[in-house]
Amino acid sequence: MDKPSFWDLDWQEIGRACLDTLTMLGASTFFTVLIGLPLGILLFLTSGGQLLQQKALYGILSFVVNVLRSVPFVILMIVIIPFTKLLVGTSIGVPGAIPPLVIGAAPFFARLVETSLREVDRGVIEAAQSMGATYNQIVGKVLLREARPGLIAAITITAVTLVSYTAMSGVIGGGGLGDLAIRYGYQRFQTNVMIVTVVILVVLVQVLQMLGDRLVRSYQRK
């Protein structure tokens, strides 16, 4: 029997898998930033020595974030299947993959946001306070503005991490390139499908990293 070649591939199905992966990546990145950014800001503001220092609240938030970050993503997907079904009506396909992707990535992104905000010069914050700036003004016009390069880098790192998460979601039928690799590359021993899947994922990561680095450099020059 001849070994399957790249000419035998169903490129239409690979195209659909790529589209599913991009859909999962785009939606999960959007909701991860939407949830993780305010969570990271809150972690920073309530930590010791900051504007809204609240040790008890910071301790609770930090514990929840650490717990969610410590659970392997494959296990997390399985554990929250009932919640995923309740939220989107299914635990498989692209819709069923997005909730665990967001829950898995948002705490990770929140920690990156907290770290980025800690790198802002405290003198800039104190100067804004001395001029009578409100908390909202300090956050919006000082912290987030000064931390833009770090925040963009954090989004890039999170998006790259989500690429690997979308591939792992194929374990529970999440769709996309991961599902394609498991069904054909692993279960049916079609090495050509596995190779093409890996190459596409590598290219996707390289493109994301390149765009993120370019944005960071553009803001650093301003």
Side-chain angles (χ1 to χ4, degrees), residues 87-132:
L87 192 64
V88 298
T90 181
S91 63
I92 60 175
V94 173
I98 292 175
L101 286 171
V102 175
I103 293 173
F108 173 75
F109 178 66
R111 280 299 187 194
L112 294 179
V113 171
E114 181 188 8
T115 301
S116 297
L117 295 178
R118 288 187 185 280
E119 295 175 357
V120 175
D121 187 354
R122 187 164 182 81
V124 178
I125 301 174
E126 292 174 351
Q129 285 181 293
S130 67
M131 290 186 291

Side-chain angles (χ1 to χ4, degrees), residues 97-166:
I98 292 175
L101 286 171
V102 175
I103 293 173
F108 173 75
F109 178 66
R111 280 299 187 194
L112 294 179
V113 171
E114 181 188 8
T115 301
S116 297
L117 295 178
R118 288 187 185 280
E119 295 175 357
V120 175
D121 187 354
R122 187 164 182 81
V124 178
I125 301 174
E126 292 174 351
Q129 285 181 293
S130 67
M131 290 186 291
T134 63
Y135 289 150
N136 289 337
Q137 290 173 330
I138 291 174
V139 171
K141 297 184 178 180
V142 178
L143 285 173
L144 295 181
R145 183 180 294 272
E146 293 293 321
R148 278 185 301 185
L151 293 175
I152 293 171
I155 293 173
T156 303
I157 293 170
T158 304
V160 169
T161 302
L162 281 168
V163 171
S164 65
Y165 283 4
T166 60

Side-chain angles (χ1 to χ4, degrees), residues 3-66:
K3 292 183 178 180
S5 69
F6 293 101
W7 303 108
D8 299 326
L9 292 170
D10 186 346
W11 290 102
Q12 187 174 1
E13 186 166 8
I14 291 174
R16 286 195 298 269
C18 289
L19 182 60
D20 286 347
T21 293
L22 292 174
T23 302
M24 287 188 288
L25 178 62
S28 60
T29 301
F30 173 78
F31 286 112
T32 293
V33 173
L34 191 66
I35 296 171
L37 182 60
L39 179 57
I41 293 172
L42 190 58
L43 281 168
F44 171 76
L45 293 177
T46 58
S47 61
Q50 300 304 329
L51 299 175
L52 302 176
Q53 177 178 330
Q54 292 286 340
K55 291 184 177 180
L57 179 58
Y58 178 80
I60 293 171
L61 291 174
S62 183
F63 176 76
V64 172
V65 166
N66 289 339

